[in-house]
Amino acid sequence: MVEWGVRIMSATVRRDGGRWHVSFTTEVERVERMPAQPDSVVGVDVGIKHLAVLSTGLLVPNPSHLAAARSRMRTLSRAMSRKTGPDNRTGRRPSKRWERARARLARAHAQVANLRRDGLHKLTTRLTAEHGTIVVEDLNVTGMLANRRLARHVADAGFGEIRRQLAYKTVWNGGRLLVADRWYPSSKTCSACGAVRTKLALSEREYQCQMCGLLIDRDRNAALNLAALAAEFDTAGSGPVAARGADRKTRACGQVALKREPGTTPVGQTGTVPPQGRTTDHALTKAHSR
Ligand SMILES: [Zn+2]
């Protein structure tokens, strides 16, 4: 069965981190697809310890070897700093050892990036093929990157990249992506009774509700809250979420022809309605606001 036709428009070859890369610009005709469970909703809490925690209770681990590759990257980086590098003021040329160390480090960098991208693609492909509705947070990634301690973790987990992939893959698979307003307190809200805690330290890995006594993994709680937003969105037509990716209009179009790299698929944001109480900051963003 031919599922879709592809026409290659152009190809670009480049060398990066000791590897050759070929990028193709293609025109793709896709048949209309449906997720395996069109009516199912999944909340995705993108994590630091795990790649993601789903409202279904599934923990998606970080790609294996990622930690090892990162540690190797640090070692190589230190090794390089001990060698004689170039000096623009004196015009000193870098040593052969420095050049070799730099090449090794570049390869290690590329390996880490590849592992991460691979893990994210597997996750987003699985999610969009399975579930009709995916709900994620709109994290203030720029604000988080300003915090140095978390910056590496955030960059590694690829919050923005997950969102980007989900946006175009939901279009491809006939599902939809809902993005929670960035002020929605998904971590601080009790997924059982709806009570909102005023404080939740980043170090608290368990969510404990003072109202109903619920004790649950922090990320799982957040994922459940995100999933619950979908029902709110469907009854109110808005709420603290914005539809992105395949909204009704897009789906009605049927086949979607893409004449560019998948990442550049425009994603429309429709009607974000901030919930009451903008001061109830998200626990993560709050930790970095200083
Ligand atoms: Zn509760």
Side-chain angles (χ1 to χ4, degrees), residues 174-190:
R176 61 176 181 168
L177 175 66
L178 300 178
V179 180
D181 184 280
R182 95 173 24 163
W183 307 106
Y184 174 69
S186 66
S187 292
K188 289 181 192 167
T189 305
C190 173

PDB file of all heavy atoms in Angstrom, residues 174-190:
ATOM      1  N   GLY A 174      -3.745  13.748  12.314  1.00  0.00           N
ATOM      2  CA  GLY A 174      -5.158  14.032  12.507  1.00  0.00           C
ATOM      3  C   GLY A 174      -5.571  14.236  13.950  1.00  0.00           C
ATOM      4  O   GLY A 174      -6.747  14.144  14.284  1.00  0.00           O
ATOM      5  N   GLY A 175      -4.628  14.491  14.824  1.00  0.00           N
ATOM      6  CA  GLY A 175      -4.962  14.773  16.220  1.00  0.00           C
ATOM      7  C   GLY A 175      -4.898  16.258  16.473  1.00  0.00           C
ATOM      8  O   GLY A 175      -4.878  17.062  15.540  1.00  0.00           O
ATOM      9  N   ARG A 176      -4.878  16.632  17.742  1.00  0.00           N
ATOM     10  CA  ARG A 176      -4.754  18.059  18.045  1.00  0.00           C
ATOM     11  C   ARG A 176      -3.857  18.232  19.257  1.00  0.00           C
ATOM     12  O   ARG A 176      -3.776  17.357  20.132  1.00  0.00           O
ATOM     13  CB  ARG A 176      -6.108  18.700  18.280  1.00  0.00           C
ATOM     14  CG  ARG A 176      -6.824  18.087  19.451  1.00  0.00           C
ATOM     15  CD  ARG A 176      -8.118  18.787  19.753  1.00  0.00           C
ATOM     16  NE  ARG A 176      -8.733  18.149  20.915  1.00  0.00           N
ATOM     17  CZ  ARG A 176      -9.745  18.655  21.575  1.00  0.00           C
ATOM     18  NH1 ARG A 176     -10.277  19.797  21.198  1.00  0.00           N
ATOM     19  NH2 ARG A 176     -10.242  18.031  22.631  1.00  0.00           N
ATOM     20  N   LEU A 177      -3.223  19.390  19.277  1.00  0.00           N
ATOM     21  CA  LEU A 177      -2.335  19.729  20.380  1.00  0.00           C
ATOM     22  C   LEU A 177      -2.927  20.908  21.122  1.00  0.00           C
ATOM     23  O   LEU A 177      -3.247  21.933  20.515  1.00  0.00           O
ATOM     24  CB  LEU A 177      -0.949  20.090  19.833  1.00  0.00           C
ATOM     25  CG  LEU A 177       0.084  20.578  20.852  1.00  0.00           C
ATOM     26  CD1 LEU A 177       0.451  19.470  21.825  1.00  0.00           C
ATOM     27  CD2 LEU A 177       1.327  21.083  20.151  1.00  0.00           C
ATOM     28  N   LEU A 178      -3.086  20.756  22.431  1.00  0.00           N
ATOM     29  CA  LEU A 178      -3.554  21.867  23.250  1.00  0.00           C
ATOM     30  C   LEU A 178      -2.403  22.325  24.132  1.00  0.00           C
ATOM     31  O   LEU A 178      -1.697  21.501  24.702  1.00  0.00           O
ATOM     32  CB  LEU A 178      -4.737  21.444  24.126  1.00  0.00           C
ATOM     33  CG  LEU A 178      -5.993  20.938  23.404  1.00  0.00           C
ATOM     34  CD1 LEU A 178      -7.044  20.506  24.427  1.00  0.00           C
ATOM     35  CD2 LEU A 178      -6.558  22.004  22.480  1.00  0.00           C
ATOM     36  N   VAL A 179      -2.223  23.629  24.204  1.00  0.00           N
ATOM     37  CA  VAL A 179      -1.130  24.170  25.006  1.00  0.00           C
ATOM     38  C   VAL A 179      -1.711  24.964  26.163  1.00  0.00           C
ATOM     39  O   VAL A 179      -2.472  25.909  25.948  1.00  0.00           O
ATOM     40  CB  VAL A 179      -0.207  25.072  24.157  1.00  0.00           C
ATOM     41  CG1 VAL A 179       0.927  25.625  25.003  1.00  0.00           C
ATOM     42  CG2 VAL A 179       0.350  24.287  22.972  1.00  0.00           C
ATOM     43  N   ALA A 180      -1.371  24.554  27.377  1.00  0.00           N
ATOM     44  CA  ALA A 180      -1.880  25.245  28.561  1.00  0.00           C
ATOM     45  C   ALA A 180      -1.273  26.639  28.646  1.00  0.00           C
ATOM     46  O   ALA A 180      -0.114  26.840  28.292  1.00  0.00           O
ATOM     47  CB  ALA A 180      -1.553  24.459  29.819  1.00  0.00           C
ATOM     48  N   ASP A 181      -2.070  27.565  29.115  1.00  0.00           N
ATOM     49  CA  ASP A 181      -1.555  28.902  29.349  1.00  0.00           C
ATOM     50  C   ASP A 181      -0.359  28.825  30.287  1.00  0.00           C
ATOM     51  O   ASP A 181      -0.331  27.993  31.194  1.00  0.00           O
ATOM     52  CB  ASP A 181      -2.654  29.759  29.981  1.00  0.00           C
ATOM     53  CG  ASP A 181      -2.222  31.193  30.168  1.00  0.00           C
ATOM     54  OD1 ASP A 181      -1.504  31.481  31.146  1.00  0.00           O
ATOM     55  OD2 ASP A 181      -2.597  32.013  29.325  1.00  0.00           O
ATOM     56  N   ARG A 182       0.611  29.693  30.070  1.00  0.00           N
ATOM     57  CA  ARG A 182       1.836  29.584  30.860  1.00  0.00           C
ATOM     58  C   ARG A 182       1.623  29.900  32.328  1.00  0.00           C
ATOM     59  O   ARG A 182       2.448  29.583  33.159  1.00  0.00           O
ATOM     60  CB  ARG A 182       2.942  30.419  30.238  1.00  0.00           C
ATOM     61  CG  ARG A 182       3.159  31.786  30.729  1.00  0.00           C
ATOM     62  CD  ARG A 182       4.395  32.352  30.100  1.00  0.00           C
ATOM     63  NE  ARG A 182       4.715  31.691  28.822  1.00  0.00           N
ATOM     64  CZ  ARG A 182       5.538  32.188  27.908  1.00  0.00           C
ATOM     65  NH1 ARG A 182       6.117  33.323  28.123  1.00  0.00           N
ATOM     66  NH2 ARG A 182       5.771  31.552  26.797  1.00  0.00           N
ATOM     67  N   TRP A 183       0.487  30.508  32.664  1.00  0.00           N
ATOM     68  CA  TRP A 183       0.221  30.815  34.069  1.00  0.00           C
ATOM     69  C   TRP A 183      -0.636  29.743  34.736  1.00  0.00           C
ATOM     70  O   TRP A 183      -0.968  29.845  35.909  1.00  0.00           O
ATOM     71  CB  TRP A 183      -0.474  32.189  34.191  1.00  0.00           C
ATOM     72  CG  TRP A 183       0.293  33.236  33.495  1.00  0.00           C
ATOM     73  CD1 TRP A 183      -0.015  33.841  32.302  1.00  0.00           C
ATOM     74  CD2 TRP A 183       1.545  33.809  33.897  1.00  0.00           C
ATOM     75  NE1 TRP A 183       0.954  34.724  31.956  1.00  0.00           N
ATOM     76  CE2 TRP A 183       1.918  34.743  32.912  1.00  0.00           C
ATOM     77  CE3 TRP A 183       2.378  33.618  35.003  1.00  0.00           C
ATOM     78  CZ2 TRP A 183       3.088  35.478  32.988  1.00  0.00           C
ATOM     79  CZ3 TRP A 183       3.541  34.355  35.085  1.00  0.00           C
ATOM     80  CH2 TRP A 183       3.881  35.276  34.081  1.00  0.00           C
ATOM     81  N   TYR A 184      -1.024  28.753  33.986  1.00  0.00           N
ATOM     82  CA  TYR A 184      -1.834  27.692  34.580  1.00  0.00           C
ATOM     83  C   TYR A 184      -0.972  26.882  35.557  1.00  0.00           C
ATOM     84  O   TYR A 184       0.068  26.345  35.201  1.00  0.00           O
ATOM     85  CB  TYR A 184      -2.395  26.776  33.490  1.00  0.00           C
ATOM     86  CG  TYR A 184      -3.117  25.601  34.078  1.00  0.00           C
ATOM     87  CD1 TYR A 184      -4.321  25.784  34.738  1.00  0.00           C
ATOM     88  CD2 TYR A 184      -2.575  24.327  34.019  1.00  0.00           C
ATOM     89  CE1 TYR A 184      -4.974  24.722  35.318  1.00  0.00           C
ATOM     90  CE2 TYR A 184      -3.231  23.245  34.595  1.00  0.00           C
ATOM     91  CZ  TYR A 184      -4.429  23.457  35.239  1.00  0.00           C
ATOM     92  OH  TYR A 184      -5.062  22.401  35.826  1.00  0.00           O
ATOM     93  N   PRO A 185      -1.405  26.808  36.843  1.00  0.00           N
ATOM     94  CA  PRO A 185      -0.552  26.155  37.852  1.00  0.00           C
ATOM     95  C   PRO A 185      -0.676  24.628  37.829  1.00  0.00           C
ATOM     96  O   PRO A 185      -1.199  24.034  38.764  1.00  0.00           O
ATOM     97  CB  PRO A 185      -1.061  26.749  39.170  1.00  0.00           C
ATOM     98  CG  PRO A 185      -2.497  27.084  38.895  1.00  0.00           C
ATOM     99  CD  PRO A 185      -2.613  27.395  37.426  1.00  0.00           C
ATOM    100  N   SER A 186      -0.206  23.999  36.793  1.00  0.00           N
ATOM    101  CA  SER A 186      -0.396  22.550  36.633  1.00  0.00           C
ATOM    102  C   SER A 186       0.308  21.752  37.722  1.00  0.00           C
ATOM    103  O   SER A 186      -0.152  20.678  38.108  1.00  0.00           O
ATOM    104  CB  SER A 186       0.082  22.099  35.258  1.00  0.00           C
ATOM    105  OG  SER A 186       1.471  22.272  35.142  1.00  0.00           O
ATOM    106  N   SER A 187       1.417  22.281  38.240  1.00  0.00           N
ATOM    107  CA  SER A 187       2.149  21.549  39.274  1.00  0.00           C
ATOM    108  C   SER A 187       1.531  21.738  40.654  1.00  0.00           C
ATOM    109  O   SER A 187       1.599  20.857  41.495  1.00  0.00           O
ATOM    110  CB  SER A 187       3.606  22.012  39.331  1.00  0.00           C
ATOM    111  OG  SER A 187       4.259  21.606  38.160  1.00  0.00           O
ATOM    112  N   LYS A 188       0.928  22.924  40.878  1.00  0.00           N
ATOM    113  CA  LYS A 188       0.447  23.252  42.219  1.00  0.00           C
ATOM    114  C   LYS A 188      -0.997  22.843  42.459  1.00  0.00           C
ATOM    115  O   LYS A 188      -1.490  22.917  43.568  1.00  0.00           O
ATOM    116  CB  LYS A 188       0.558  24.771  42.442  1.00  0.00           C
ATOM    117  CG  LYS A 188       1.984  25.251  42.576  1.00  0.00           C
ATOM    118  CD  LYS A 188       1.991  26.740  42.805  1.00  0.00           C
ATOM    119  CE  LYS A 188       3.377  27.311  42.657  1.00  0.00           C
ATOM    120  NZ  LYS A 188       3.319  28.777  42.573  1.00  0.00           N
ATOM    121  N   THR A 189      -1.687  22.460  41.393  1.00  0.00           N
ATOM    122  CA  THR A 189      -3.094  22.087  41.526  1.00  0.00           C
ATOM    123  C   THR A 189      -3.211  20.604  41.861  1.00  0.00           C
ATOM    124  O   THR A 189      -2.483  19.771  41.316  1.00  0.00           O
ATOM    125  CB  THR A 189      -3.842  22.385  40.213  1.00  0.00           C
ATOM    126  OG1 THR A 189      -3.629  23.759  39.875  1.00  0.00           O
ATOM    127  CG2 THR A 189      -5.328  22.124  40.353  1.00  0.00           C
ATOM    128  N   CYS A 190      -4.141  20.283  42.770  1.00  0.00           N
ATOM    129  CA  CYS A 190      -4.377  18.880  43.107  1.00  0.00           C
ATOM    130  C   CYS A 190      -5.220  18.249  42.004  1.00  0.00           C
ATOM    131  O   CYS A 190      -6.293  18.751  41.673  1.00  0.00           O
ATOM    132  CB  CYS A 190      -5.099  18.786  44.448  1.00  0.00           C
ATOM    133  SG  CYS A 190      -5.606  17.094  44.845  1.00  0.00           S
TER     134      CYS A 190
END
